[in-house]
Amino acid sequence: MAAHKAGEPHEVDVVVVGMGPGGEDAAGRLAEAGLSVVGVEARLVGGECPYYGCVPTKMMIRASDLLAEGRRIPGMAGDARVAADWSQVAKRIREEATDSWDDRVSAERFEDRGGRLVRGYGRITAPGEVTVGDRVLRARRGIVLNTGTEPAVPPIDGLEGTPFWTNREAVETETVPASLVVLGGGAIGTEMAQAFSRFGSRVTVVESRDRLLAVEEPEACDLLREVFEREGITVRTGARATAVRHEDGAFTVDVGGEPIIGERLLVATGRRTRLGEIGVGVYGLDGDARSIEVDERMRAADGLWAIGDITGKGAFTHVSMYQADIAVRDILGEGGPAADYRAVSRVTFTDPEVGAVGLTEAQAREQGLDVRTGSTPIPESARGWIHKAGNDGFIKLVEDADRGVLIGATSAGPAGGEVLGALSVAVHAEVPTERLQHMIYAYPTFHRAIGVAVKNLSAR
Ligand SMILES: Cc1cc2nc3c(=O)[nH]c(=O)nc-3n(C[C@H](O)[C@H](O)[C@H](O)COP(=O)(O)OP(=O)(O)OC[C@H]3O[C@@H](n4cnc5c(N)ncnc54)[C@H](O)[C@@H]3O)c2cc1C
Ligand SMILES: NC(=O)c1ccc[n+]([C@@H]2O[C@H](COP(=O)([O-])OP(=O)(O)OC[C@H]3O[C@@H](n4cnc5c(N)ncnc54)[C@H](O)[C@@H]3O)[C@@H](O)[C@H]2O)c1
């Protein structure tokens, strides 16, 4: 690509603003297809997932699950003395996952695919125009936005200016705090709470809604609470923090007039976008909105595509990648299937893992559907009974009774996220429940419980 002078517009086919998982993939594929592509990235090529999200947190969870399994040995397989050492986790995150938060390898990989990386914060300054510092980029075919989210920090009295953690500092920590207050019992809060607790931290989770993981089936939320409390994690639901103080190396969080003290405070209360700052108003879009509305081809406006967390269709890496594929096909005029969100699957990697796909029972009923549900506890399955220690879980199915197909399912348990695979296929492909009932499920697997849940389908 020819060099150009600062300030002078530089014309290319596509400018991708934000190189999260979807943006990186889309930019690379468009470049490989022969288009001239500039990727603009303010922080790290690859986005939140590899550096502060999915990958390092799953390394934390893998380690904390190993500890939990070790502690399950007595009574099942002999004796075990488990001594946790966080330094091994921190080292693995630093060296194997994040290269000490250095994205050179990803940046080079993108340039090897034919793209050009411009580092800096991109803003849309006119239709088809992105400005990064003093560089002006013009996109002939259009702009792809993949600017993702950042931690949202609630306006709690005294919180600002204290050294609280978000997911980013928690992932970077070299030590485990003696005690940890986790604000927010969603996906980040629950995964991190259990991981740090299993490494010896005294953890309290403060969640303003009535349940942990409140977007999922209530049975999953209740199960997680039960397991957390059994493991010694304090769970405060329906609880709001009204003030925070940081004194003498400790946080005091006022919750309903009661002080909760922690060496560290993790704020995991959701995410925010910065659509106004990015300049979506240039296209007549609402800069104050939480997400950008896109059609089934990821088009937000003429010549503007949006993918990933900013579309509000599920803040998951697999959604970002799925949407990237659709946007790339649209830009290249390749056709193919449009976006379909009936079977968005998600897994919270707590132990038990909580996997879910499609609608919850409540969501299905809100849509006025004639619903049948069926469930079965994992400990009552042959495999669950054999597994014994750590066998908490259940399968719950949500059927559209009129059509006789599953429209939602939850799989909580050991390997709950893997068992979800079969349920995702059933929801995605609309496999009739009649056929699921007469399927041969291998004995004794965890997924065999799906067959029992199907047989238990009944209207309530
Ligand atoms: C702790 C944690 C754990 C998670 N675990 C999982 C998991 O297990 N599985 C899963 O599927 N998902 C998980 N997620 C969610 C997942 O990380 C995101 O959904 C995923 O990263 C996709 O986001 P995205 O494509 O929208 O972009 P992001 O990953 O958010 O990346 C956006 C990029 O855009 C850049 N950017 C923003 N604005 C600009 C601008 N104006 N100019 C230039 N660059 C800009 C940012 O620097 C960033 O690099 C987790 C998230 C967190 C925080
Ligand atoms: N395994 C995974 O796939 C995974 C893991 C982590 C994160 N993620 C993604 O990242 C997103 C963000 O995660 P998150 O946990 O920050 O958000 P979240 O929306 O999942 O959960 C935030 C929780 O904080 C609560 N909350 C909000 N304000 C509060 C306050 N002032 N006090 C107490 N509680 C408060 C909310 O009620 C909610 O339950 C997730 O929604 C998910 O899409 C995915």
Side-chain angles (χ1 to χ4, degrees):
M1 189 175 291
H4 74 290
K5 289 188 197 131
E8 212 172 82
H10 182 69
E11 216 171 273
V12 290
D13 291 319
V14 177
V15 177
V16 177
V17 184
M19 295 280 274
E24 183 187 10
D25 186 50
R29 279 179 57 193
L30 290 169
E32 276 174 349
L35 300 191
S36 55
V37 180
V38 167
V40 181
E41 174 52 52
R43 290 162 61 95
L44 293 162
V45 174
E48 199 79 5
C49 177
Y51 294 101
Y52 299 107
C54 333
V55 178
T57 60
K58 264 79 262 179
M59 282 185 176
M60 290 159 69
I61 287 165
R62 164 74 176 136
S64 67
D65 283 354
L66 280 170
L67 296 177
E69 280 291 277
R71 290 171 187 139
R72 287 170 181 152
I73 289 173
M76 295 273 297
D79 273 331
R81 190 192 139 268
V82 177
D85 177 1
W86 183 263
S87 71
Q88 296 176 14
V89 182
K91 182 170 187 281
R92 197 165 173 227
I93 290 175
R94 218 183 323 106
E95 293 180 2
E96 294 176 35
T98 68
D99 244 345
S100 296
W101 293 273
D102 182 329
D103 65 352
R104 250 172 305 179
V105 172
S106 308
E108 278 167 20
R109 192 173 48 216
F110 170 56
E111 300 211 317
D112 287 348
R113 293 173 85 180
R116 158 128 183 247
L117 180 66
V118 170
R119 292 197 180 271
Y121 196 85
R123 287 184 177 80
I124 301 172
T125 37
E129 182 183 281
V130 174
T131 302
V132 189
D134 57 5
R135 288 185 220 212
V136 180
L137 305 163
R138 292 260 164 81
R140 281 185 288 264
R141 291 213 195 176
I143 297 170
V144 178
L145 277 186
N146 178 234
T147 47
T149 55
E150 59 188 60
V153 179
I156 298 170
D157 200 24
L159 177 61
E160 206 185 318
T162 64
F164 63 86
W165 279 357
T166 66
N167 62 294
R168 294 175 180 167
E169 292 76 22
V171 160
E172 285 178 351
T173 189
E174 294 279 336
T175 54
V176 172
S179 53
L180 175 69
V181 181
V182 179
L183 213 54
I188 297 177
T190 53
E191 286 185 355
M192 293 234 187
Q194 192 177 42
F196 281 112
S197 164
R198 288 177 165 187
F199 269 88
S201 192
R202 250 179 306 107
V203 177
T204 305
V205 182
V206 179
E207 164 58 51
S208 57
R209 296 178 69 175
D210 289 342
R211 291 193 157 94
L212 296 175
L213 276 193
V215 289
E216 298 302 350
E217 292 285 6
E219 294 89 335
C221 315
D222 294 345
L223 174 66
L224 211 53
R225 181 184 191 125
E226 190 189 314
V227 171
F228 273 24
E229 290 183 338
R230 204 191 301 149
E231 291 187 4
I233 299 171
T234 304
V235 178
R236 300 283 310 271
T237 50
R240 277 207 166 268
T242 46
V244 170
R245 283 188 310 284
H246 183 256
E247 286 164 355
D248 305 326
F251 285 89
T252 305
V253 183
D254 287 334
V255 177
E258 187 197 323
I260 300 178
I261 293 167
E263 183 188 329
R264 291 282 173 194
L265 169 65
L266 169 64
V267 176
T269 50
R271 314 283 296 176
R272 59 164 292 181
T273 52
R274 290 186 181 273
L275 302 179
E277 248 176 51
I278 293 160
V280 299
V282 165
Y283 284 91
L285 303 175
D286 180 3
D288 294 327
R290 284 172 64 96
S291 57
I292 296 187
E293 207 153 309
V294 286
D295 70 8
E296 75 288 354
R297 300 274 166 199
M298 302 302 122
R299 297 179 197 146
D302 194 24
L304 182 71
W305 288 261
I307 58 175
D309 292 6
I310 54 171
T311 64
K313 300 292 185 193
F316 304 106
T317 290
H318 41 278
V319 171
S320 183
M321 303 289 287
Y322 172 76
Q323 294 178 325
D325 175 58
I326 295 168
V328 166
R329 283 191 276 110
D330 196 42
I331 292 167
L332 297 176
E334 286 179 354
D340 170 2
Y341 301 105
R342 287 171 308 112
V344 175
S345 49
R346 60 256 176 211
V347 179
T348 303
F349 292 88
T350 44
D351 173 18
E353 289 182 355
V354 177
V357 59
L359 302 179
T360 60
E361 178 183 354
Q363 288 167 337
R365 292 196 190 280
E366 269 162 33
Q367 292 188 11
L369 297 170
D370 184 10
V371 169
R372 289 200 311 161
T373 62
S375 39
T376 187
I378 294 296
E380 288 179 17
S381 68
R383 179 58 181 276
W385 178 78
I386 293 164
H387 195 79
K388 200 171 171 176
N391 67 357
D392 301 279
F394 66 90
I395 304 269
K396 176 173 175 179
L397 309 178
V398 181
E399 184 199 44
D400 176 345
D402 287 339
R403 292 191 300 135
V405 293
L406 296 185
I407 48 172
T410 297
S411 153
E418 304 309 318
V419 171
L420 185 72
L423 295 166
S424 296
V425 172
V427 174
H428 177 76
E430 302 186 322
V431 181
T433 38
E434 166 72 13
R435 299 200 73 173
L436 293 175
Q437 212 180 105
H438 300 291
M439 198 177 124
I440 303 169
Y441 300 90
Y443 180 89
T445 56
F446 288 116
H447 76 252
R448 192 172 156 79
I450 293 172
V452 179
V454 172
K455 287 206 176 75
N456 289 344
L457 278 170
S458 67
R460 263 204 300 120

